[in-house]
Amino acid sequence: RFTLKESIFWIFSSVFNYDKGFLYTTKELIVRPGKVVKDFTGGLTVRYAHPFRFLFIWATISTILGVYFNVYEESGLAMNKLAGQTEEQIERSRKMLTYMKQYMSFIIMGIVPFLSITTYLLSRKKGLNYAEHLIMNAYGNASSIVIGLPILFAYIFVDNSVVLSYTSMILGIVVMGRVLAQTLDDNIFLGLIKYLISFILAFILMMIFATILTIAYTFILISLGYPNPFKA
C-alpha cells in the first residue's frame, strides 16, 4: 500500500526526477555539459532530467530570485544610464522591465528555438539535427543559469549593478561556449565564437518574429474594431 512518505517522494520524483535526474543533471552540467548532451541525444535519457523541463525549473528559480533581489531593475536601469539614455527613455525602459519580469522564465526559454536555428546553421557539418540543437541549447542555458546563481546573490552585497551585469554576461558566454565546444567537439575558442555569432543572429531573428507578431496582433485588434493599443 502507498504511504504518505512514499507519496511525497513520488511527487518530488515526478516533478523534479529527484531520485536521480534533477540533481544529477545539475551536477553533470557543471562538470561536463557536453557529455550530458551527447548521452541524452544518444538515447541515455533515463539518468537525466528532461532538458526543457529542467530549463523551465531553473529559469523559474532564477526569475524568482531576480525579482526578489530587484536584479532586473537595477541592472537594466544601470545599463541604460551607462548608455546615456534620457530620463524619458529610462522611464520607458523601467515600464518595459516591469512588464517583462512577469514572464522572464518564458522569455529565457523563448530564446532557445531561435538560438537552435543559428547554432544548427553554423554547425550543420557536425551531424546534429535541429531537435538535438534544441536539447543542447536548453541544457546550455540551464547550466548558464545554475553557474550564474551566485551573481544574483552578489546583488545583496555589491553596490555596482553595471559590473555585475557585465560579469553575468561574460560568464554566460563562457558557459555556453563551453557547452558548444564539448558537444560539437570544437576547441573552446571556436565554441565561444560560434556562440557569440549564434546569439547575435538569434536575437535578430527573435526581434523580427516579435515585430511580426506585434503587427499581426495590432492588425487583428483594429480589424475587430478595437483601438490601436500602441497608439499614444
Side-chain angles (χ1 to χ4, degrees):
R1 297 182 61 183
F2 281 102
T3 64
L4 180 60
K5 179 181 177 180
E6 290 170 339
S7 299
I8 293 173
F9 181 80
W10 180 84
I11 291 171
F12 275 90
S13 177
S14 298
V15 176
F16 297 108
N17 205 4
Y18 185 80
D19 55 340
K20 176 83 171 182
F22 186 76
L23 297 180
Y24 178 75
T25 305
T26 301
K27 176 183 75 69
E28 288 296 296
L29 279 173
I30 294 173
V31 178
R32 37 183 174 265
K35 183 178 183 300
V36 175
V37 178
K38 288 179 179 179
D39 282 353
F40 196 91
T41 56
L44 298 176
T45 59
V46 176
R47 68 176 64 170
Y48 301 112
H50 190 279
F52 306 112
R53 180 176 59 183
F54 185 77
L55 173 59
F56 179 74
I57 292 172
W58 276 118
T60 302
I61 292 172
S62 174
T63 299
I64 292 171
L65 291 174
V67 171
Y68 181 77
F69 294 133
N70 205 31
V71 170
Y72 302 118
E73 286 86 350
E74 286 189 22
S75 58
L77 296 177
M79 297 295 284
N80 290 337
K81 289 180 180 179
L82 189 66
Q85 290 189 353
T86 63
E87 289 298 326
E88 183 180 348
Q89 291 173 320
I90 291 174
E91 181 60 30
R92 194 180 300 121
S93 297
R94 182 183 286 109
K95 290 180 180 179
M96 185 179 294
L97 284 168
T98 301
Y99 176 78
M100 287 178 60
K101 71 181 183 181
Q102 301 175 58
Y103 307 99
M104 193 58 69
S105 57
F106 294 102
I107 293 173
I108 293 171
M109 295 190 68
I111 190 67
V112 171
F114 299 97
L115 187 58
S116 299
I117 292 173
T118 56
T119 56
Y120 170 71
L121 293 176
L122 289 175
S123 307
R124 292 184 66 180
K125 293 182 180 180
K126 295 296 182 178
L128 296 182
N129 61 35
Y130 178 67
E132 291 165 338
H133 276 268
L134 281 171
I135 292 169
M136 177 183 70
N137 286 298
Y139 274 139
N141 276 273
S143 65
S144 179
I145 291 171
V146 172
I147 295 174
L149 282 180
I151 297 177
L152 291 180
F153 290 97
Y155 276 84
I156 304 174
F157 310 103
V158 180
D159 189 22
N160 195 325
S161 300
V162 175
V163 171
L164 291 176
S165 297
Y166 276 116
T167 303
S168 178
M169 188 186 307
I170 293 170
L171 182 61
I173 293 171
V174 171
V175 171
M176 285 299 297
R178 178 170 172 252
V179 172
L180 264 65
Q182 290 190 10
T183 303
L184 303 174
D185 295 321
D186 290 325
N187 61 63
I188 185 63
F189 179 75
L190 187 57
L192 291 171
I193 296 299
K194 278 187 177 180
Y195 174 69
L196 282 172
I197 296 173
S198 298
F199 181 80
I200 293 170
L201 294 176
F203 183 78
I204 293 172
L205 285 177
M206 196 174 183
M207 290 301 100
I208 293 173
F209 182 74
T211 301
I212 293 172
L213 280 184
T214 302
I215 293 172
Y217 172 69
T218 304
F219 178 77
I220 292 172
L221 286 181
I222 294 174
S223 300
L224 294 174
Y226 293 96
N228 186 343
F230 302 101
K231 188 175 181 179

